[in-house]
Amino acid sequence: MTVTTAANTPPGVYTINVSGTIPGQNPVSTNVSLTVSSTPGAPVTITNSPSSSTFWVDGVAYAGNASFVPQSGGDTLTVTQTQPPPTGRGDHYQFSPDGGVTTQAAEVPPPGQPGGNGCPWTCSNGSCGSRVPVGPPQPAPRIQNVTDASGDNPAVLYPGVPVQITVNGSNFGGATGYLNFCRPGGSPCDFTSNGGLSSRIISWNPYQIVATVTLPTDAPTGGWLVYVSAMFWISGTDWLNPSMGNMNVTIPPQVSGPIGVALNGSASFAVTITPGNMDPVTVTLSTTSGTGSATFADGTTSQTIYESQSLTVMGKVVSSTANNITISTSIGGNPFGSAQFSVVSVTISLNATQGGQPAGDDSAKGVWLPTVLSGGPLGAQININAGGVTRCAIGVELVGTVTPSNYSGTITLQRNFLGGTGYIGSGSPTNFPAQPDNSNIEFEVTTPSAAGHVYDLDAPNINPNTLVSRARYNFQEYALLGVPADPPNNPPQVGSGFPYYARMSCGTDVNGNPVFNNAVNGDNQAGGGVTLLTWNLQ
Amino acid sequence: MRRIRSIVTMLGALPFIGGMSPVFGAPACADLENKKPELRLEYLQGQKSLLDRNCVLYAIEQLGNDHYAPAIKTLAGYLDYRKPDPPNFGSPTQPLIRGHSEWSGSIYPAGTALAQIGKPAIPQLVEVIAAASTSDLVRNTAGDVVFAIYRENPADGIAVLVEAAHKRSDPMDSLRVMDQARRQAGRCTQQGRNDCENAVLK
């Protein structure tokens, strides 16, 4: 005699207690360890041979002497229950009370809960058992629609983001069961994208289920399905063809932009909204720690948008620490994409003390110092270029002090030559035209040091002349919040420009080598501000 | 785009003291603006003698700014490609020259580009230094680039060259790399000189 008891369980190890009675013999009861390794949804078949002391579960032999005779109250099944699976249908059993003509399904209730519809499950230490009742199946759950907190029908979900959904319909039963999520395809649907999915039931009644669902971060976008596993008997036909609710999975709003916004400057942040998303997206600026603030162009800190667009953010108060301002998106109170940034300021100063050294954390000095032949290195020095030619120069180190000091973005010091005049002796003045005048990148430090400094080393110079060459140069140093680029991609200036000058007079010794000429007071130095362009500085 | 600077100005017929290498303005090349690095590299791989000088300089600068490692070998072939002197530079009629700090890469922009790309360029630079066919100018510039790449700790750059020299199978190749290591050690500042010289001896 063979009785097929089909159990549709997820993979795992279960202990099954089977008892039965052959007429004229004592009742038989045995425990077997049932290892289910098949795909969830596949039936488990238990086969018994009356002439053998062995029975088989999915073709695996187990010792025992068992027979399966339907009892008036049904067979007894016992399982060691694992945590309810995060996806797919929960633990449940199919059985055929009339010899396989029809099939019914019974859900295993969550730990500590009884089964529904008179099914007297008893649970202890994670092990539940029930006498399988014999009776007609109940009407299966029917889903009318699935909505989200914003009222979208179907509900809109986002990969990796917890979203509250409401399943409306009928016949859900009074006992809390399961929601099963899947994609179209398969039978009854496709669970292959569910790795990492989690859900939590918030409330459950016969007509409405409220739950929080978090789809995997790599969940495919498009249509998804949900169906209800209720805690009562339904027909096998209904079980195989559950009522499905529709959901729509889409890409959540994203926001991107620079990691720094200049104090009293502006920057553009791109908010990307998937076309078709009808919900208003709230974009908010907030300070997460310390001090610092930014606003949108209209002075507010919150905007509502309905499609992708760029938002202008203004730096209002400098950040006290890096990345302490967040621009975030949300829909209906659910947070989505966000980005952190700093409001940045840079103050420039000059280090040109005669005989001084570049700062210890000025890593550009390794390449710059070999250009100093003698003197200096800061202040008056004899400079040697790559071709071996020597000149009178004034070594200068421009220091950009960055706030916040732990800002990690690129800041490039740049320089404009504002103009100058050269002389031979005291006459023949010649103007040098204004022009951009940036250092070679190897003489710059563009990533703030641990102390929050960026640097630009230079040595403006003049070639020597037996009649004395004189040079009076004016410069303006400024900082860019990023890497210089061709317009219109050039990054914005951050902080005020810093004017400084360098002036020098250069004669020659008897061998023609350059020597400084100190005949003019205040000559051969650099300093903040502007220099007179006269030969004698008067 | 980085702009390189230096001004030569005219001042009558006074004696010229020169040999410097200032350059005016920035190279501009409409054909290569807003193009991908692949196309700029492809341009540099064309027949050098037929290429537009401004476009070559522009491509080199941009490949460096992009830290475009696939261009390393090609850029190494441009280590002697010099920025042009200003008009009339070197003329006795231009006695005053406004200049700035310069290193090899200021004159040979492929050096700056390779320095920007950084350590991935080291193996190719070592090959250039070791090759018998390399001119002294290019060999020294390549060594300067190694020095620039390790500018935060030049002794490490010296050590890299010494290690590379020891690995060469050809003794003459090894000698050329060691010579460059010694030359670069001589450029170390007083504070770091001991470390650099010790690196040569390892």
Side-chain angles (χ1 to χ4, degrees), chain A residues 225-245:
Chain A
L225 302 170
V226 60
Y227 68 90
V228 175
S229 291
M231 293 292 103
F232 50 76
W233 312 125
I234 61 174
S235 75
T237 301
D238 285 340
W239 178 79
L240 291 171
N241 301 281
S243 173
M244 297 285 191

PDB file of all heavy atoms in Angstrom, chain A residues 225-245:
ATOM      1  N   LEU A 225       5.345  40.638  -8.152  1.00  0.00           N
ATOM      2  CA  LEU A 225       4.066  40.074  -7.697  1.00  0.00           C
ATOM      3  C   LEU A 225       4.143  39.772  -6.213  1.00  0.00           C
ATOM      4  O   LEU A 225       5.218  39.576  -5.657  1.00  0.00           O
ATOM      5  CB  LEU A 225       3.747  38.783  -8.464  1.00  0.00           C
ATOM      6  CG  LEU A 225       3.656  38.904  -9.990  1.00  0.00           C
ATOM      7  CD1 LEU A 225       3.572  37.529 -10.629  1.00  0.00           C
ATOM      8  CD2 LEU A 225       2.447  39.751 -10.381  1.00  0.00           C
ATOM      9  N   VAL A 226       2.969  39.729  -5.595  1.00  0.00           N
ATOM     10  CA  VAL A 226       2.874  39.291  -4.207  1.00  0.00           C
ATOM     11  C   VAL A 226       1.624  38.428  -4.077  1.00  0.00           C
ATOM     12  O   VAL A 226       0.611  38.670  -4.746  1.00  0.00           O
ATOM     13  CB  VAL A 226       2.823  40.504  -3.242  1.00  0.00           C
ATOM     14  CG1 VAL A 226       1.623  41.403  -3.530  1.00  0.00           C
ATOM     15  CG2 VAL A 226       2.803  40.028  -1.785  1.00  0.00           C
ATOM     16  N   TYR A 227       1.745  37.366  -3.297  1.00  0.00           N
ATOM     17  CA  TYR A 227       0.548  36.583  -2.985  1.00  0.00           C
ATOM     18  C   TYR A 227       0.555  36.209  -1.518  1.00  0.00           C
ATOM     19  O   TYR A 227       1.583  36.301  -0.838  1.00  0.00           O
ATOM     20  CB  TYR A 227       0.392  35.367  -3.903  1.00  0.00           C
ATOM     21  CG  TYR A 227       1.417  34.272  -3.743  1.00  0.00           C
ATOM     22  CD1 TYR A 227       1.234  33.226  -2.852  1.00  0.00           C
ATOM     23  CD2 TYR A 227       2.562  34.276  -4.532  1.00  0.00           C
ATOM     24  CE1 TYR A 227       2.159  32.214  -2.733  1.00  0.00           C
ATOM     25  CE2 TYR A 227       3.491  33.277  -4.425  1.00  0.00           C
ATOM     26  CZ  TYR A 227       3.301  32.237  -3.520  1.00  0.00           C
ATOM     27  OH  TYR A 227       4.224  31.251  -3.398  1.00  0.00           O
ATOM     28  N   VAL A 228      -0.595  35.796  -1.038  1.00  0.00           N
ATOM     29  CA  VAL A 228      -0.813  35.598   0.389  1.00  0.00           C
ATOM     30  C   VAL A 228      -0.847  34.111   0.711  1.00  0.00           C
ATOM     31  O   VAL A 228      -1.510  33.324   0.021  1.00  0.00           O
ATOM     32  CB  VAL A 228      -2.146  36.254   0.824  1.00  0.00           C
ATOM     33  CG1 VAL A 228      -2.454  35.948   2.295  1.00  0.00           C
ATOM     34  CG2 VAL A 228      -2.099  37.752   0.585  1.00  0.00           C
ATOM     35  N   SER A 229      -0.104  33.724   1.732  1.00  0.00           N
ATOM     36  CA  SER A 229      -0.240  32.382   2.301  1.00  0.00           C
ATOM     37  C   SER A 229      -0.984  32.520   3.624  1.00  0.00           C
ATOM     38  O   SER A 229      -0.452  33.075   4.587  1.00  0.00           O
ATOM     39  CB  SER A 229       1.136  31.751   2.535  1.00  0.00           C
ATOM     40  OG  SER A 229       1.759  31.452   1.314  1.00  0.00           O
ATOM     41  N   ALA A 230      -2.241  32.070   3.639  1.00  0.00           N
ATOM     42  CA  ALA A 230      -3.067  32.205   4.833  1.00  0.00           C
ATOM     43  C   ALA A 230      -2.997  30.939   5.680  1.00  0.00           C
ATOM     44  O   ALA A 230      -2.561  29.880   5.212  1.00  0.00           O
ATOM     45  CB  ALA A 230      -4.520  32.494   4.435  1.00  0.00           C
ATOM     46  N   MET A 231      -3.405  31.055   6.906  1.00  0.00           N
ATOM     47  CA  MET A 231      -3.278  29.966   7.877  1.00  0.00           C
ATOM     48  C   MET A 231      -4.508  29.068   7.898  1.00  0.00           C
ATOM     49  O   MET A 231      -5.106  28.845   8.943  1.00  0.00           O
ATOM     50  CB  MET A 231      -3.034  30.550   9.285  1.00  0.00           C
ATOM     51  CG  MET A 231      -1.713  31.250   9.432  1.00  0.00           C
ATOM     52  SD  MET A 231      -0.306  30.122   9.336  1.00  0.00           S
ATOM     53  CE  MET A 231       0.255  30.430   7.691  1.00  0.00           C
ATOM     54  N   PHE A 232      -4.916  28.622   6.746  1.00  0.00           N
ATOM     55  CA  PHE A 232      -6.032  27.671   6.724  1.00  0.00           C
ATOM     56  C   PHE A 232      -5.916  26.861   5.439  1.00  0.00           C
ATOM     57  O   PHE A 232      -5.104  27.123   4.566  1.00  0.00           O
ATOM     58  CB  PHE A 232      -7.379  28.393   6.816  1.00  0.00           C
ATOM     59  CG  PHE A 232      -7.555  29.533   5.842  1.00  0.00           C
ATOM     60  CD1 PHE A 232      -7.814  29.298   4.510  1.00  0.00           C
ATOM     61  CD2 PHE A 232      -7.440  30.853   6.278  1.00  0.00           C
ATOM     62  CE1 PHE A 232      -7.974  30.349   3.625  1.00  0.00           C
ATOM     63  CE2 PHE A 232      -7.591  31.906   5.396  1.00  0.00           C
ATOM     64  CZ  PHE A 232      -7.866  31.648   4.059  1.00  0.00           C
ATOM     65  N   TRP A 233      -6.792  25.824   5.398  1.00  0.00           N
ATOM     66  CA  TRP A 233      -6.733  24.910   4.255  1.00  0.00           C
ATOM     67  C   TRP A 233      -7.316  25.581   3.022  1.00  0.00           C
ATOM     68  O   TRP A 233      -8.349  26.238   3.066  1.00  0.00           O
ATOM     69  CB  TRP A 233      -7.531  23.622   4.529  1.00  0.00           C
ATOM     70  CG  TRP A 233      -7.249  22.996   5.854  1.00  0.00           C
ATOM     71  CD1 TRP A 233      -8.151  22.689   6.803  1.00  0.00           C
ATOM     72  CD2 TRP A 233      -5.987  22.579   6.333  1.00  0.00           C
ATOM     73  NE1 TRP A 233      -7.556  22.121   7.881  1.00  0.00           N
ATOM     74  CE2 TRP A 233      -6.197  22.039   7.616  1.00  0.00           C
ATOM     75  CE3 TRP A 233      -4.699  22.614   5.835  1.00  0.00           C
ATOM     76  CZ2 TRP A 233      -5.170  21.529   8.392  1.00  0.00           C
ATOM     77  CZ3 TRP A 233      -3.670  22.105   6.606  1.00  0.00           C
ATOM     78  CH2 TRP A 233      -3.913  21.581   7.866  1.00  0.00           C
ATOM     79  N   ILE A 234      -6.594  25.406   1.937  1.00  0.00           N
ATOM     80  CA  ILE A 234      -7.148  25.804   0.649  1.00  0.00           C
ATOM     81  C   ILE A 234      -6.971  24.637  -0.301  1.00  0.00           C
ATOM     82  O   ILE A 234      -6.201  23.696  -0.030  1.00  0.00           O
ATOM     83  CB  ILE A 234      -6.437  27.061   0.075  1.00  0.00           C
ATOM     84  CG1 ILE A 234      -4.941  26.770  -0.136  1.00  0.00           C
ATOM     85  CG2 ILE A 234      -6.644  28.258   0.985  1.00  0.00           C
ATOM     86  CD1 ILE A 234      -4.214  27.899  -0.838  1.00  0.00           C
ATOM     87  N   SER A 235      -7.643  24.670  -1.389  1.00  0.00           N
ATOM     88  CA  SER A 235      -7.530  23.559  -2.331  1.00  0.00           C
ATOM     89  C   SER A 235      -6.177  23.618  -3.027  1.00  0.00           C
ATOM     90  O   SER A 235      -5.558  24.684  -3.142  1.00  0.00           O
ATOM     91  CB  SER A 235      -8.650  23.635  -3.381  1.00  0.00           C
ATOM     92  OG  SER A 235      -8.390  24.655  -4.314  1.00  0.00           O
ATOM     93  N   GLY A 236      -5.737  22.467  -3.455  1.00  0.00           N
ATOM     94  CA  GLY A 236      -4.481  22.414  -4.182  1.00  0.00           C
ATOM     95  C   GLY A 236      -4.520  23.268  -5.436  1.00  0.00           C
ATOM     96  O   GLY A 236      -3.523  23.869  -5.838  1.00  0.00           O
ATOM     97  N   THR A 237      -5.671  23.319  -6.072  1.00  0.00           N
ATOM     98  CA  THR A 237      -5.796  24.145  -7.279  1.00  0.00           C
ATOM     99  C   THR A 237      -5.562  25.610  -6.955  1.00  0.00           C
ATOM    100  O   THR A 237      -4.836  26.315  -7.658  1.00  0.00           O
ATOM    101  CB  THR A 237      -7.193  23.961  -7.893  1.00  0.00           C
ATOM    102  OG1 THR A 237      -7.369  22.589  -8.211  1.00  0.00           O
ATOM    103  CG2 THR A 237      -7.341  24.810  -9.149  1.00  0.00           C
ATOM    104  N   ASP A 238      -6.149  26.043  -5.829  1.00  0.00           N
ATOM    105  CA  ASP A 238      -5.919  27.430  -5.423  1.00  0.00           C
ATOM    106  C   ASP A 238      -4.466  27.659  -5.035  1.00  0.00           C
ATOM    107  O   ASP A 238      -3.897  28.728  -5.289  1.00  0.00           O
ATOM    108  CB  ASP A 238      -6.837  27.791  -4.237  1.00  0.00           C
ATOM    109  CG  ASP A 238      -8.273  27.990  -4.666  1.00  0.00           C
ATOM    110  OD1 ASP A 238      -8.489  28.220  -5.876  1.00  0.00           O
ATOM    111  OD2 ASP A 238      -9.165  27.901  -3.807  1.00  0.00           O
ATOM    112  N   TRP A 239      -3.917  26.618  -4.383  1.00  0.00           N
ATOM    113  CA  TRP A 239      -2.525  26.792  -3.960  1.00  0.00           C
ATOM    114  C   TRP A 239      -1.594  26.943  -5.161  1.00  0.00           C
ATOM    115  O   TRP A 239      -0.644  27.704  -5.142  1.00  0.00           O
ATOM    116  CB  TRP A 239      -2.098  25.595  -3.120  1.00  0.00           C
ATOM    117  CG  TRP A 239      -0.654  25.700  -2.705  1.00  0.00           C
ATOM    118  CD1 TRP A 239      -0.155  26.450  -1.705  1.00  0.00           C
ATOM    119  CD2 TRP A 239       0.443  25.049  -3.325  1.00  0.00           C
ATOM    120  NE1 TRP A 239       1.200  26.317  -1.644  1.00  0.00           N
ATOM    121  CE2 TRP A 239       1.600  25.447  -2.631  1.00  0.00           C
ATOM    122  CE3 TRP A 239       0.556  24.143  -4.379  1.00  0.00           C
ATOM    123  CZ2 TRP A 239       2.853  24.994  -2.968  1.00  0.00           C
ATOM    124  CZ3 TRP A 239       1.814  23.695  -4.713  1.00  0.00           C
ATOM    125  CH2 TRP A 239       2.956  24.130  -4.014  1.00  0.00           C
ATOM    126  N   LEU A 240      -1.900  26.193  -6.194  1.00  0.00           N
ATOM    127  CA  LEU A 240      -1.062  26.273  -7.380  1.00  0.00           C
ATOM    128  C   LEU A 240      -1.339  27.531  -8.194  1.00  0.00           C
ATOM    129  O   LEU A 240      -0.529  27.914  -9.043  1.00  0.00           O
ATOM    130  CB  LEU A 240      -1.301  25.038  -8.275  1.00  0.00           C
ATOM    131  CG  LEU A 240      -0.783  23.723  -7.709  1.00  0.00           C
ATOM    132  CD1 LEU A 240      -1.273  22.559  -8.566  1.00  0.00           C
ATOM    133  CD2 LEU A 240       0.735  23.721  -7.646  1.00  0.00           C
ATOM    134  N   ASN A 241      -2.459  28.158  -7.947  1.00  0.00           N
ATOM    135  CA  ASN A 241      -2.824  29.358  -8.709  1.00  0.00           C
ATOM    136  C   ASN A 241      -3.249  30.476  -7.757  1.00  0.00           C
ATOM    137  O   ASN A 241      -4.404  30.903  -7.743  1.00  0.00           O
ATOM    138  CB  ASN A 241      -3.964  29.045  -9.688  1.00  0.00           C
ATOM    139  CG  ASN A 241      -3.581  27.955 -10.670  1.00  0.00           C
ATOM    140  OD1 ASN A 241      -2.887  28.182 -11.636  1.00  0.00           O
ATOM    141  ND2 ASN A 241      -4.050  26.742 -10.375  1.00  0.00           N
ATOM    142  N   PRO A 242      -2.307  30.950  -6.954  1.00  0.00           N
ATOM    143  CA  PRO A 242      -2.684  31.960  -5.971  1.00  0.00           C
ATOM    144  C   PRO A 242      -3.062  33.277  -6.634  1.00  0.00           C
ATOM    145  O   PRO A 242      -2.591  33.598  -7.730  1.00  0.00           O
ATOM    146  CB  PRO A 242      -1.420  32.118  -5.128  1.00  0.00           C
ATOM    147  CG  PRO A 242      -0.313  31.709  -6.033  1.00  0.00           C
ATOM    148  CD  PRO A 242      -0.875  30.622  -6.905  1.00  0.00           C
ATOM    149  N   SER A 243      -3.895  34.012  -5.951  1.00  0.00           N
ATOM    150  CA  SER A 243      -4.255  35.350  -6.413  1.00  0.00           C
ATOM    151  C   SER A 243      -3.043  36.269  -6.246  1.00  0.00           C
ATOM    152  O   SER A 243      -2.452  36.347  -5.167  1.00  0.00           O
ATOM    153  CB  SER A 243      -5.435  35.875  -5.580  1.00  0.00           C
ATOM    154  OG  SER A 243      -5.686  37.226  -5.894  1.00  0.00           O
ATOM    155  N   MET A 244      -2.674  36.927  -7.313  1.00  0.00           N
ATOM    156  CA  MET A 244      -1.460  37.736  -7.303  1.00  0.00           C
ATOM    157  C   MET A 244      -1.792  39.232  -7.241  1.00  0.00           C
ATOM    158  O   MET A 244      -2.703  39.705  -7.930  1.00  0.00           O
ATOM    159  CB  MET A 244      -0.638  37.474  -8.572  1.00  0.00           C
ATOM    160  CG  MET A 244      -0.136  36.047  -8.699  1.00  0.00           C
ATOM    161  SD  MET A 244       1.241  35.745  -7.594  1.00  0.00           S
ATOM    162  CE  MET A 244       1.816  34.150  -8.200  1.00  0.00           C
ATOM    163  N   GLY A 245      -1.018  39.959  -6.442  1.00  0.00           N
ATOM    164  CA  GLY A 245      -1.093  41.409  -6.435  1.00  0.00           C
ATOM    165  C   GLY A 245       0.099  41.986  -7.183  1.00  0.00           C
ATOM    166  O   GLY A 245       1.187  41.415  -7.157  1.00  0.00           O
TER     167      GLY A 245
END
